[in-house]
Amino acid sequence: MSEFRRGATNNRWVIIAPERGCRPSDFEQRRIEYDAGPNACPFCAGNEDMTPSELYRDPAPDGRGWHVRVIPNKYPALMPYADSAPEPISRFFERRHGVGTHEVIIESPVHNHDIPDFCEEQMIRIVEAYSARFKVLMENLSFRYVLLFRNHGTEAGASLLHPHSQIIATSIVPQQVRSSLRIAKAYYERKERCLFCDLMLAELRNGERIVDENDDFVTWTPYDSRFPFEIVIYPRAHSHDFSTMADHQKVGLARTLILTTRRLRSLLGDVPYNLVIETTPSLTARPGSPGSRSILPHAYHWHIAVIPRLTRVAGFELGTGFYINPMPPEEAAKHLRDAAVQGIP
Amino acid sequence: MSEFRRGATNNRWVIIAPERGCRPSDFEQRRIEYDAGPNACPFCAGNEDMTPSELYRDPAPDGRGWHVRVIPNKYPALMPYADSAPEPISRFFERRHGVGTHEVIIESPVHNHDIPDFCEEQMIRIVEAYSARFKVLMENLSFRYVLLFRNHGTEAGASLLHPHSQIIATSIVPQQVRSSLRIAKAYYERKERCLFCDLMLAELRNGERIVDENDDFVTWTPYDSRFPFEIVIYPRAHSHDFSTMADHQKVGLARTLILTTRRLRSLLGDVPYNLVIETTPSLTARPGSPGSRSILPHAYHWHIAVIPRLTRVAGFELGTGFYINPMPPEEAAKHLRDAAVQGIP
């Protein structure tokens, strides 16, 4: 089974998940299988028996097909229970069982569609599926943090072309999330206001990094963008928890996601990208965890990051955590606003 | 000119360096130019006039050629001085001039060699060049941290095939380095011993992650490896500063680097990788900076990380800072030890 590990020289947890491939030659092989074609694709309609049994289905009106399916990942990074007692922790080497879960959201029966190809109705169904699975996993007391992410293109880490997202629930709140929560809480304690609400107002007033806005969502390129054309999507109304969206917000988010990815495609072609939903840890977690502080619902504001992968994470970034971004976000926003986009919903 | 930026929602600095490419179409173009062939390669012997003027040269005995050259990067991420007064800092958006320097070490006149192809003498010359430039930059009071790194292969972020390393000196100590120094200092304050010396002893006693050792260096796969076949190289003798190596250590390091990269090539072919030298910040920095604490020379231990790039940094890693590694470091070490390596120096 997989395990969380932390060494003595830094605070960073890693997941060692040997189930995902072991021989040195496996690494090249997995890249080749990215697009095996619809017949061999486990996510295509008609190949449902190639996947583990379904956790969620948005059925098609004919009663046999489907619009969206959620399945357990066949090669999970984490497992929902420990298969033995935890091993003793040594002085330098901390380890915990890899408890968590790893699901795949198959976003369409169509093999080669991506978000910019979806109609509004399909995208709303996908947002519904995201929200439903989030809610289920957030209520599980074994899990402390739920991350929904989407990798598009091999250079963004996707292992299959067929449109899909992944959800990983972990029994540890990631260091990076803890740090973000700490900053938000410190701001709230000082001002009794949400840092992200105030940041959004500053961005709207300034305007030069704004890409789009509708009644429910605002989209901009962050001041401290690590990657060229990095975009964030924030709900206008304060909310700490992604899974509590109202219906009109789900429609607004579906429209925003289609529009944002169409802008990227218009400007950059079929660019590889990652999409990440950043939300609070489970608030039902045990006392003393960051999620149990009652201030968090006021201090944190969920959002989505869309990160095109035009530059590589190289030695400088790995060695320092410093990112070099050759595209100022103010120029990126201008390019994105000016991009010719057909059929905005 | 470029700038350091920090946003309100996290402690992370980024470098916005617009000199490095501005139009959306530039990104694809730069990848294509990775191997333009020896005639068009600015780093090849005979093309010296294609580069900015030299900062360092290890001359060949004929008096005309060279073994190693160091030049300023033609597209520097940072500049050695500010070209205007600093702009005011606003509530949410912190910025500083991109003060620093960015150099390129051309490691051979031969276009398509890499470390495993070098003879011991050439590798010693390269280590000498690394050390000499480190020393010069560490003594400059404008710079707080010096990072030497090497990207091999496009997937590891290299923009040119010709063997080269880069040095970036920054006027800010990176957050990730600060965090690592804090942990080392806390350990020293508790035990009056170097964390890394003790970790090395634990690794040697355990043995399962050790790959190689010689009189001066020990090589292992870290317990908390983020990437498959990640390797660290530590000097046996305690030293906080890479640029203070004795001559016999330079020979030992040259041998270790050749051997380590030959093991990787034997096992994984011409795998893309990053190499990063992790050392202390400048100790001549202004009072109050982490470098000015006199405990650091005792608490920190320089080392090198060699990171093959077989897996991608994807949505999960970007969203949480959590890395998923499918190759347990204990197995990676066994594969590396067993790799058939010709002509170990």
Side-chain angles (χ1 to χ4, degrees):
Chain A
M1 122 166 243
S2 65
E3 58 186 39
F4 296 105
R5 288 190 181 189
R6 183 157 62 173
T9 60
N10 59 61
N11 283 323
R12 184 174 58 215
W13 287 96
V14 300
I15 298 172
I16 305 289
E19 288 90 345
R20 288 171 70 88
C22 258
R23 284 159 305 160
S25 57
D26 284 351
F27 293 97
E28 202 41 48
Q29 190 53 34
R30 270 187 282 160
R31 247 170 243 187
I32 293 163
E33 288 161 0
Y34 175 66
D35 183 10
N39 288 338
C41 172
F43 295 169
C44 270
N47 295 344
E48 290 80 0
D49 57 353
M50 293 169 72
T51 64
S53 60
E54 235 163 70
L55 300 164
Y56 175 98
R57 170 181 284 227
D58 187 333
D62 64 9
R64 287 161 58 217
W66 48 272
H67 293 303
V68 181
R69 297 173 72 216
V70 182
I71 55 167
N73 193 309
K74 210 171 173 177
Y75 307 99
L78 299 168
M79 299 290 279
Y81 53 86
D83 57 8
S84 60
E87 293 188 37
I89 288 164
S90 86
R91 192 165 148 205
F92 292 112
F93 310 121
E94 196 175 350
R95 78 170 75 185
R96 298 199 195 163
H97 285 304
V99 173
T101 192
H102 192 167
E103 303 182 354
V104 176
I105 298 164
I106 306 171
E107 297 172 335
S108 165
V110 183
H111 184 60
N112 60 354
H113 272 188
D114 188 45
I115 296 180
D117 306 303
F118 294 150
C119 64
E120 187 178 321
E121 292 68 35
Q122 181 64 14
M123 196 67 229
I124 293 169
R125 291 181 194 116
I126 296 167
V127 170
E128 287 282 5
Y130 290 175
S131 180
R133 292 312 300 168
F134 243 104
K135 197 164 283 185
V136 168
L137 294 173
M138 289 284 266
E139 282 166 4
N140 185 323
L141 284 174
S142 307
F143 306 144
R144 306 281 296 282
Y145 191 70
V146 180
L147 185 80
L148 192 147
F149 61 101
R150 193 173 195 285
N151 304 330
H152 173 73
T154 52
E155 297 189 30
S159 54
L160 289 172
L161 169 71
H162 196 112
H164 68 284
S165 296
Q166 299 177 68
I167 305 190
I168 291 184
T170 62
S171 46
I172 287 175
V173 179
Q175 201 62 25
Q176 189 172 306
V177 175
R178 276 177 183 275
S179 157
S180 176
L181 299 175
R182 253 197 308 272
I183 290 167
K185 286 194 289 192
Y187 187 90
Y188 187 84
E189 273 161 13
R190 212 164 53 237
K191 308 221 179 227
E192 289 192 55
R193 293 183 56 83
C194 164
L195 166 63
F196 305 90
C197 285
D198 283 0
L199 175 63
M200 184 167 14
L201 291 176
E203 289 291 359
L204 284 166
R205 201 166 43 232
N206 171 301
E208 62 176 341
R209 285 181 292 272
I210 299 289
V211 178
D212 283 301
E213 48 177 316
N214 61 30
D215 285 350
D216 292 306
F217 288 90
V218 183
T219 302
W220 71 84
T221 55
Y223 173 77
D224 57 344
S225 294
R226 287 180 293 174
F227 297 93
F229 303 102
E230 190 176 332
I231 297 166
V232 287
I233 300 170
Y234 275 81
R236 266 185 208 275
H238 179 80
S239 163
H240 68 290
D241 181 352
F242 169 79
S243 64
T244 59
M245 259 188 294
D247 284 347
H248 66 93
Q249 288 179 302
K250 289 176 188 166
V251 174
L253 181 58
R255 287 181 182 166
T256 303
L257 286 169
I258 291 171
L259 178 57
T260 301
T261 53
R262 283 186 186 171
R263 287 197 187 282
L264 286 175
R265 185 186 279 181
S266 165
L267 193 61
L268 303 166
D270 184 25
V271 63
Y273 68 87
N274 301 107
L275 184 155
V276 177
I277 299 180
E278 306 197 345
T279 184
T280 42
S282 168
L283 295 175
T284 50
R286 47 190 171 286
S289 78
S292 68
R293 310 275 175 83
S294 59
I295 180 187
L296 256 191
H298 306 288
Y300 197 76
H301 195 126
W302 75 266
H303 54 277
I304 293 177
V306 181
I307 305 168
R309 299 296 295 277
L310 293 158
T311 53
R312 309 280 183 158
V313 176
F316 184 69
E317 287 78 11
L318 292 176
T320 61
F322 245 129
Y323 282 73
I324 300 176
N325 176 2
M327 173 59 67
E330 297 74 24
E331 283 180 46
K334 189 176 179 321
H335 284 298
L336 287 162
R337 285 192 303 264
D338 292 350
V341 182
Q342 292 266 313
I344 297 174
Chain B
M1 126 166 240
S2 66
E3 58 187 37
F4 295 105
R5 289 190 181 189
R6 183 157 62 174
T9 59
N10 59 60
N11 282 324
R12 185 175 55 214
W13 287 96
V14 300
I15 298 172
I16 305 290
E19 289 89 344
R20 288 171 69 89
C22 258
R23 283 159 306 162
S25 56
D26 284 350
F27 293 97
E28 202 42 49
Q29 190 52 36
R30 271 187 281 159
R31 248 171 243 189
I32 293 163
E33 288 160 3
Y34 175 66
D35 183 10
N39 288 339
C41 172
F43 296 169
C44 270
N47 296 344
E48 290 79 1
D49 57 351
M50 294 168 72
T51 64
S53 58
E54 235 163 68
L55 299 164
Y56 176 98
R57 169 182 284 227
D58 187 334
D62 65 8
R64 287 162 56 216
W66 47 273
H67 293 304
V68 181
R69 296 173 72 216
V70 182
I71 55 167
N73 193 310
K74 210 171 173 178
Y75 307 98
L78 299 169
M79 298 291 277
Y81 53 88
D83 58 7
S84 61
E87 293 188 38
I89 288 163
S90 86
R91 191 165 148 205
F92 293 112
F93 311 121
E94 196 174 349
R95 79 170 73 184
R96 298 197 195 164
H97 285 306
V99 172
T101 191
H102 192 167
E103 304 182 354
V104 176
I105 299 164
I106 307 172
E107 298 173 333
S108 164
V110 183
H111 185 59
N112 61 353
H113 272 188
D114 188 44
I115 296 180
D117 305 303
F118 293 150
C119 64
E120 187 178 321
E121 292 68 34
Q122 182 63 16
M123 197 67 228
I124 293 169
R125 292 182 194 115
I126 296 166
V127 170
E128 286 283 6
Y130 289 175
S131 180
R133 292 312 300 168
F134 243 104
K135 197 165 281 184
V136 167
L137 295 173
M138 289 284 267
E139 281 167 6
N140 185 323
L141 284 173
S142 307
F143 306 144
R144 306 282 296 281
Y145 191 70
V146 180
L147 186 80
L148 193 147
F149 61 101
R150 194 175 194 283
N151 304 330
H152 173 73
T154 51
E155 297 189 30
S159 55
L160 288 172
L161 169 70
H162 196 113
H164 67 284
S165 296
Q166 298 178 68
I167 305 190
I168 291 183
T170 61
S171 46
I172 288 175
V173 180
Q175 201 64 24
Q176 189 171 306
V177 174
R178 277 178 181 276
S179 156
S180 176
L181 299 175
R182 254 197 308 273
I183 290 167
K185 287 194 288 193
Y187 187 90
Y188 187 84
E189 273 160 13
R190 212 164 54 236
K191 308 220 180 229
E192 290 192 54
R193 292 182 58 83
C194 164
L195 166 63
F196 305 90
C197 285
D198 283 359
L199 175 64
M200 184 167 15
L201 291 175
E203 288 292 0
L204 284 166
R205 201 165 45 234
N206 171 299
E208 63 175 340
R209 284 180 293 273
I210 299 289
V211 178
D212 283 300
E213 47 176 319
N214 61 29
D215 285 350
D216 292 306
F217 288 89
V218 183
T219 303
W220 71 83
T221 55
Y223 173 77
D224 57 343
S225 294
R226 288 179 292 175
F227 297 93
F229 304 103
E230 190 176 332
I231 297 167
V232 288
I233 300 170
Y234 276 80
R236 265 186 210 274
H238 178 81
S239 164
H240 68 290
D241 181 352
F242 169 77
S243 65
T244 59
M245 259 189 295
D247 284 347
H248 66 93
Q249 286 179 304
K250 289 176 186 164
V251 175
L253 181 58
R255 287 182 182 167
T256 304
L257 287 169
I258 292 172
L259 178 57
T260 301
T261 52
R262 283 186 186 172
R263 287 197 188 283
L264 286 174
R265 185 186 279 181
S266 164
L267 193 62
L268 303 165
D270 185 25
V271 62
Y273 67 88
N274 301 109
L275 184 155
V276 176
I277 299 181
E278 307 197 345
T279 186
T280 43
S282 169
L283 296 176
T284 50
R286 48 189 172 285
S289 77
S292 68
R293 311 276 174 82
S294 58
I295 180 187
L296 256 194
H298 306 289
Y300 197 76
H301 195 126
W302 75 265
H303 55 276
I304 293 177
V306 181
I307 304 167
R309 300 296 295 276
L310 293 157
T311 52
R312 309 280 183 158
V313 176
F316 184 68
E317 287 79 11
L318 293 176
T320 61
F322 244 128
Y323 282 73
I324 300 176
N325 177 3
M327 172 59 66
E330 297 74 24
E331 283 179 47
K334 188 176 179 321
H335 284 298
L336 287 163
R337 283 193 303 265
D338 293 349
V341 181
Q342 292 264 313
I344 297 173

